[in-house]
Amino acid sequence: MNKDSVGTVDTQYLHFAEPPHELVLESGKALGPVTLGYETYGRLNRERSNGILVCHALSGDAHAAGFHTGEDSPGWWDNMIGPGKAFDTERFFVICSNVIAGCKGSTGPSSINPRTGKPYALDFPMVTVGDMVKAQARLIDFLGIENLLCVVGGSMGGMQVLQWAASYPERVRAAIPIATALKHSPQQIAFNEVIRQSIMVDPAWRMGGYYDQGQPRNGLAIARMIGHITFMSDQSMEQKFSRRLRNGNYGFKFATDFEVEGYLRYRGDSFVKRFDANSYLYITKAIDYFDLSDGRLIPEGKRTSTRFLVISFQSDWLYPSYQSQEIVRQLKKRQVEATYCELRSAYGHDAFLVDVEEQTMLIRHFLESTYSGNGGRYEGDLRWKSGRTTG
Amino acid sequence: MNKDSVGTVDTQYLHFAEPPHELVLESGKALGPVTLGYETYGRLNRERSNGILVCHALSGDAHAAGFHTGEDSPGWWDNMIGPGKAFDTERFFVICSNVIAGCKGSTGPSSINPRTGKPYALDFPMVTVGDMVKAQARLIDFLGIENLLCVVGGSMGGMQVLQWAASYPERVRAAIPIATALKHSPQQIAFNEVIRQSIMVDPAWRMGGYYDQGQPRNGLAIARMIGHITFMSDQSMEQKFSRRLRNGNYGFKFATDFEVEGYLRYRGDSFVKRFDANSYLYITKAIDYFDLSDGRLIPEGKRTSTRFLVISFQSDWLYPSYQSQEIVRQLKKRQVEATYCELRSAYGHDAFLVDVEEQTMLIRHFLESTYSGNGGRYEGDLRWKSGRTTG
């Protein structure tokens, strides 16, 4: 184990909304009991002021850093979380939880419906990003944290960050939405719709009721192949595969000719082993519904002391920079403190997961200035003390 | 019928490679007999010098202009072909033929295999863009045309243009490749591979042998939905659909919420009625194999008198402008006369079909200067007469 690793970790579970209570969702439907899978790294300080919530992307999970016993691969953002890293676990208490509707420890369509004793499948209620965050807030309550130092995440994780800032502005000192958007464009909805359709037309999907017979593997693999194309950039695919052939020449049949084809098939197949098809449907729908544009991020007349660091990547064509710039524009309209950085990277949307050097520098400095009191809520106190008010 | 329409037209059929002859393909396999579906508009002049070959894109056909009896929609490039249009049928003799491996009158996987009396299905040999053009050349021979004034086409049509210039440089006075590439990038291959996989995992595909039972409609619809996303731009989708809902609010289920979803499903379903799934497989493979990079367009030491007008569109992210610029770079390396224009259009890859005003001006002038003798082969004659040689 390297010195900069958080070491061996376990996923923990919080149960809430036990009968007769339920979590009331945005659709008006109710969900309960609810379990959230989560992990924490580092220690909460006495003032409970060093908590950082990390929000995961579409197919992510609570396992953001360190190693599960017996596994060789670390958590999905291990390059960002650990001693001395961007989210320094020597100083900060880092929390990551699996979203509801997921399939990695939190209640979702593959969970047992207590009313039937069988998996929910399509009886699972539709959830929104707002519902995901509402459930997360219960976890933060449980951990005894009133105010989070920071909420951070990329892609769908970034939507949760924005939702936290909108739903609980007084609980978030700093927000770092990365490679994300206030709302999906029709192109993003279109990709998600094809992803959903490819799952739903697979006869093995059985209207969502496949749990006895196994996943709709063909449809789910196609769905993930589509996703993977959108996560990479033209440039990174060129660097990684170019037109290299697997067997040196054209096969003149429909088997795999090009390395990029083999890669996609591999990624599609391996996804089937680790992710529930119905969760993919629910979560893509949640992010299509997400919309904090038109003043919904910070309503007119409201003030917030949350500071923002908004990050996008030049080669990300799935969540293009103009969408991050739109976030910044909304924040500036409300006179919110916001820094925007578009980072150079060839890795497309995947950049937030793999291209961490510049991200680390930016985030480390931003966290430092928030934590040490040069920004956000603490700056608010100073303003109050000196009697000055500034935009 | 408008004055600028070529009026009522019929698809005609040329049969060749009749036994014992066969068309020998690039793979080494042979195909025969071969039928080509084609249409012509305008009249061939006495000198046989006004012939223009229009090459269609992936799912196109020979019906480029005018109306088939009883149909309301004109051919796919009717806005470009007709009296007074870019390809003025008062002056030029315009030819368009359906590619082999297609399903619109030319021999393809849905054609009857004379050896079995049943559709070829996957016994159809793999064809390349080179093979498509080789078959087209037989049609041009049949029509009695030695030299084409121009070969033009967008997307896969543009690949055929480049292939004509490579295979028969002495037969092409002017070439207009539009929104195309010397070779597919791994991203383009990746999209095609997901398209193929979505067809091939549909149980109704039956290893290609579905002709008795009907199309693999689910897989083919998914394939076309993916295609449609890549044909449009983020911007044109925003203009056309934005986030408009079909029923005014979120349905909180997996039915169609957004207009863009309904549009994609409609386009997917209607494609099933008009295009053969196996043809889609063969043709996408042909364009993935296509590669005239690395000096294969015009080999080192060879000269060509073909003039080029290369056109791309700013918002086309499927065939981005850098690919057209690469064509121009290759041509300039060989001291070939080439003009390049990147046109402003919000329509993405579809622009070559719909955004015709600027295209028309460019092409009209380019054709005029070629036809009237200010360029290409005729300029070669002038050079010979005056004894000058110019690069």
Side-chain angles (χ1 to χ4, degrees), chain A residues 126 184 186 193 196-197 234 238 243 250 252-254 257 261 265 281 285 288-290 322, chain B residues 126 184 186 193 196-197 234 238 242-243 250-254 257 261 265 281 285 288-289 322:
Chain A
M126 204 67 84
H184 265 182
E193 171 65 1
R196 284 188 293 269
Q197 285 294 317
D234 189 17
E238 179 59 35
R243 285 176 58 87
Y250 295 160
F252 288 111
K253 52 189 180 188
F254 295 111
D257 281 300
E261 296 173 319
R265 291 193 193 185
L281 296 179
K285 203 69 184 173
D288 284 351
Y289 280 168
F290 180 75
Y322 80 80
Chain B
M126 202 68 84
H184 265 181
E193 171 65 1
R196 285 187 293 268
Q197 286 292 317
D234 189 16
E238 179 59 34
S242 189
R243 286 175 58 85
Y250 296 161
F252 288 111
K253 52 191 180 186
F254 296 111
D257 281 300
E261 296 173 319
R265 291 193 195 185
L281 297 179
K285 203 71 184 174
D288 284 349
Y289 281 168
Y322 80 80

Side-chain angles (χ1 to χ4, degrees), chain A residues 7-19:
Chain A
T8 305
V9 295
D10 286 311
T11 302
Q12 301 172 74
Y13 302 91
L14 172 69
H15 308 281
F16 62 94
E18 306 279 2

